[in-house]
Amino acid sequence: MYRIQTLNNISPRGLEHLPRESYEVASDLSNPDAILVRSYKMHDMEIPKSVRAIGRAGAGTNNIPVEKMSERGVPVFNAPGANANAVKELVVAGMLMAARNIPQAIRFVDSIDADDAKAVEDGKKKFAGFELPDRGLGVIGLGAIGVRVANAAYDLGMKVTGFDPKMTVDNAWLLSSGVQQSTSVDELCASSQFLTVHVPLIDATKNLINADRIRAMPKGAVILNFARGGIVDEDAVLAALEEGHLHAYVCDFPSGKLKGHDKVIALPHLGASTGEAEENCAIMVARQVRDFLENGNVTNSVNFPEAVLPRVEDEPRLCIANANVPNMVGQITTALAKHDLNIADMLNKSRGNVAYTMVDVDSDIPDTVAEELGAIEGVLSVRVLPA
């Protein structure tokens, strides 16, 4: 029986993929095997030593101490792409709201006698906007969301250019052939009347869109940030809005600085806030955590390598996480040979400082084997999965 702790508001649709005959799921479990979480901030909590995996029902993992989990040999899973359509739709809505001055027009209607036809007609002149076709859209980050945004904008007739030096082959196949590629963020900014960012917030992306890059954008440009607060320099944006260089700033991360500015459209983090997106995220991450607990497979982890090995029928499996240093596989196979354990199948993958090995053997694995493997310098975690 696996024990899964849920920290906050995981969609019930996701939990349906954890069969009740094999899983105990609750918010108040002690010594859980895994934790499923949405937005709960885990950095200050004591994560039990029993935890073998953490699943984040969403894309970002800023609320999880990923580095600490890596040191313990615990994979952190997320759900990239599960909320991509929801975010894409909101980005498109943001472009339309900015282009047509919709929030300002709504506030105007709320401030007048709406039955006064002359006042309505006279006032609407202040809110004349522009259309999207033939406007340039720059997309920074061509992951699951960025690709969908780029394709949707291209279908609307925009001239779309993307930048992502680490774009995956799978996402490249999904990207419309009409989307152009840029060689740098600076080049992209200089040609973008609309600019949207879809990258994680890390040291390298903090204030990625700064005063210099904003100054290089065409006059009257619009910046959209539905990725993370901190990627766009708010002070630089506000200065550019006051100067009239930017037409609008649309974001999903309100702040005291931005609140009340007539040219800022700030939403309360609505990007993935649809019933469909929450269900998709919960289902995806529950399936991934289940596959890891039952089979050791790793899919969509932010700190472990992708590692999927079909099970050999009726044979147990060893799953070993270790520091990515030389001779680890040799030490593992030597320990197995010492106990006359024959390897039926094996997979070894690495990512950064972490390596992960799955070994199927053709006989029962004594408890002493796991103890010996765990004692090897650099081994972070060892699990024995029954046949």
Side-chain angles (χ1 to χ4, degrees):
M1 175 71 74
Y2 294 104
R3 295 164 59 82
I4 307 292
Q5 182 180 11
T6 57
L7 288 185
N8 58 349
N9 302 325
I10 300 295
S11 169
R13 283 288 305 281
L15 303 183
E16 289 172 5
H17 293 265
L18 303 173
R20 296 297 172 165
E21 64 272 15
S22 305
Y23 288 81
E24 180 183 1
V25 182
S27 61
D28 56 353
L29 290 178
S30 59
N31 300 317
D33 296 292
I35 295 174
L36 297 184
V37 59
R38 282 189 65 233
S39 56
Y40 187 90
K41 296 189 187 324
M42 298 180 65
H43 291 277
D44 296 329
M45 71 175 284
E46 187 70 30
I47 299 174
K49 296 296 184 183
S50 60
V51 170
R52 296 294 188 178
I54 296 175
R56 158 78 167 104
T61 54
N62 299 44
N63 58 317
I64 300 169
V66 176
E67 187 173 344
K68 289 182 180 179
M69 293 301 98
S70 298
E71 293 170 356
R72 285 173 46 174
V74 174
V76 176
F77 297 91
N78 67 345
N83 60 13
N85 185 69
V87 179
K88 174 206 76 178
E89 290 184 356
L90 199 58
V91 173
V92 173
M95 287 196 292
L96 291 168
M97 285 192 291
R100 300 301 300 272
N101 301 309
I102 290 173
Q104 296 94 325
I106 290 172
R107 289 195 291 268
F108 165 72
V109 169
D110 287 340
S111 70
I112 65 168
D113 178 0
D115 290 326
D116 185 342
K118 186 177 185 306
V120 171
E121 289 300 312
D122 289 344
K124 77 176 187 180
K125 299 171 186 177
K126 295 184 295 185
F127 308 109
F130 52 88
E131 300 179 20
L132 300 184
D134 294 325
R135 302 272 173 176
L137 170 67
V139 183
I140 300 176
L142 293 168
I145 296 171
V147 165
R148 285 167 173 79
V149 170
N151 290 346
Y154 182 75
D155 289 341
L156 289 170
M158 300 186 77
K159 297 175 181 177
V160 184
T161 305
F163 173 76
D164 191 336
K166 297 182 179 180
M167 187 181 187
T168 66
V169 173
D170 288 343
N171 283 330
W173 277 107
L174 296 173
L175 188 65
S176 170
S177 61
V179 176
Q180 303 299 307
Q181 297 291 309
S182 184
T183 59
S184 70
V185 173
D186 290 330
E187 179 186 71
L188 188 71
C189 289
S191 63
S192 298
Q193 293 156 303
F194 285 83
L195 181 70
T196 180
V197 292
H198 300 286
V199 294
L201 177 59
I202 57 177
D203 288 343
T205 61
K206 185 173 178 58
N207 289 335
L208 179 69
I209 306 305
N210 55 31
D212 290 339
R213 286 172 171 155
I214 292 171
R215 198 175 298 114
M217 296 179 70
K219 183 177 174 60
V222 175
I223 295 175
L224 303 106
N225 179 11
F226 287 85
R228 280 290 183 269
I231 294 173
V232 177
D233 183 340
E234 289 184 358
D235 290 328
V237 163
L238 290 170
L241 290 172
E242 291 301 322
E243 294 166 4
H245 186 69
L246 285 181
H247 172 73
Y249 177 53
V250 189
C251 72
D252 214 13
F253 312 99
S255 71
K257 289 182 180 179
L258 300 175
K259 185 178 178 181
H261 196 291
D262 190 53
K263 296 180 180 179
V264 172
I265 304 170
L267 305 176
H269 207 181
L270 295 180
S273 294
T274 68
E276 294 89 344
E278 291 182 5
E279 286 185 2
N280 291 341
C281 288
I283 290 169
M284 179 183 284
V285 78
R287 284 175 172 168
Q288 291 166 179
V289 168
R290 177 181 174 182
D291 194 23
F292 176 76
L293 291 176
E294 295 178 5
N295 301 306
N297 291 326
V298 177
T299 305
N300 291 329
S301 170
V302 299
N303 61 336
F304 267 48
E306 200 87 352
V308 177
L309 182 67
R311 293 296 294 267
V312 177
E313 189 174 358
D314 298 326
E315 294 186 352
R317 169 170 287 183
L318 269 168
C319 301
I320 304 144
N322 57 266
N324 187 16
V325 295
N327 197 35
M328 272 297 180
V329 173
Q331 293 183 78
I332 292 168
T333 56
T334 298
L336 297 181
K338 175 183 171 183
H339 290 270
D340 296 322
L341 293 171
N342 187 53
I343 296 174
D345 204 354
M346 182 175 180
L347 178 69
N348 172 260
K349 296 283 189 177
S350 64
R351 177 179 179 178
N353 296 325
V354 176
Y356 183 66
T357 303
M358 290 185 283
V359 185
D360 291 337
V361 297
D362 58 9
S363 58
D364 290 338
I365 302 172
D367 292 340
T368 53
V369 172
E371 294 173 5
E372 290 177 22
L373 290 171
I376 296 174
E377 184 178 356
V379 169
L380 306 173
S381 65
V382 179
R383 287 197 306 148
V384 177
L385 304 181

